[in-house]
Amino acid sequence: MTLVRPAGTEPVPRAPRTAPSFAVISGAQVQHALRGREREIVELVEATYRLHGAGDTVDPPSYFLRFPDRPDSRIIALPASLGGPTPVDGLKWISSFPQNVAAGLPRASAVLILNDHVTGYPYACLESSIISATRTAASAAAAADRLSRGRPRPRRVGFVGTGLIARYIHTFLAATGWQFDAIGVYDVSADSAAGFRAYLESSAGTEREESPAGTAAQVTLHTDPGELIRTSDLVVFATVAARPHVSDLSWFAHHPLVLHVSLRDLAPGILLAAANIVDDADHCLRAGTSPHLAEQLSGGRDFVTGTLADVLAGRVRVPADRTVVFSPFGLGVLDLAVGAFVHDAVARTGDLHLIDDFFHELRRYG
């Protein structure tokens, strides 16, 4: 498209473009910048969803790097561009190697590259497993709050899957004012379930002090996922399941609010009987997710009630008499928003680790 300027006007001069410094931000710095800022991050994530809903982002499909000799592992590239008052471009490169867990390593590892919106030069590389967990937990906490309005606020929460993401989601729920009478825990690994229970009990003292009633939630380990779901008003799926393993519709007869964070736990029939909220339909209904399987089974997307941005804008009302399932694919723009927040927070402290000669060959003809 050719830009036609009114007669007699000239382009506004711009400052010369220069290559920015390049910073490396460690996981310890990321964690320090985000600790205690849960409410602020939830507000940032909601604002980012609104920008995405308004079309002020570029969020192409994720690219999955898979390995014939390691079919359960993958590395995912999430390129994105975030508009708004402080635009930024970038890429998250996140791996998922489930076999790490048996070796005592976290399943996921990641880096995030931030690119300058004007020059395109990358200006920071951040450790991003914490950023990814944070934006996922903030998204879940935002959905739990917004989707529970107009229905009794859940007092019993159940976690199916008890890894890092489950811990971050619980932390964000607690930090944004959620109080539970009962917490259910289920994992196929008894050791993981016991570890998560220990985390919950270690955090119970703080929750007890902050609770008006002066009591902490009762924590129950479940050996049957159906029992956990039937006794929970809010259900969090945070597993590494590659295909649906929950198919009994009767488990949801009490119409809970479900945060389907891991995306592949629920059989299509569960979704087709529920009100479904996604972060982005084009992203979510692909790559063999439960919503993708539901689309294939039903032949369309009519089962999708709307997006979280629609709920935030008041375009979609969530029914109180049906199971509500939130299935977030995970938008790259959320990583950019949280990553830029971390970069700026570290920069304000003067603790950026700069590599000033990172960009060396800057003269076109030497």
Side-chain angles (χ1 to χ4, degrees), residues 20-24 352-359:
S21 297
F22 189 79
V24 175
L352 281 178
H353 300 311
L354 296 175
I355 306 174
D356 290 321
D357 60 349
F358 186 83
F359 300 107

Side-chain angles (χ1 to χ4, degrees), residues 35 37 51 74 128 160 162 205-206 220 227 248 268-270 300 302 314 331 335 341 346:
R35 183 179 291 119
R37 312 291 286 273
L51 284 174
R74 64 185 187 270
S128 196
V160 180
T162 57
T206 301
T220 302
E227 180 184 14
D248 193 333
I270 303 293
D302 290 344
L331 301 179
D335 297 282
F341 177 93
V346 176

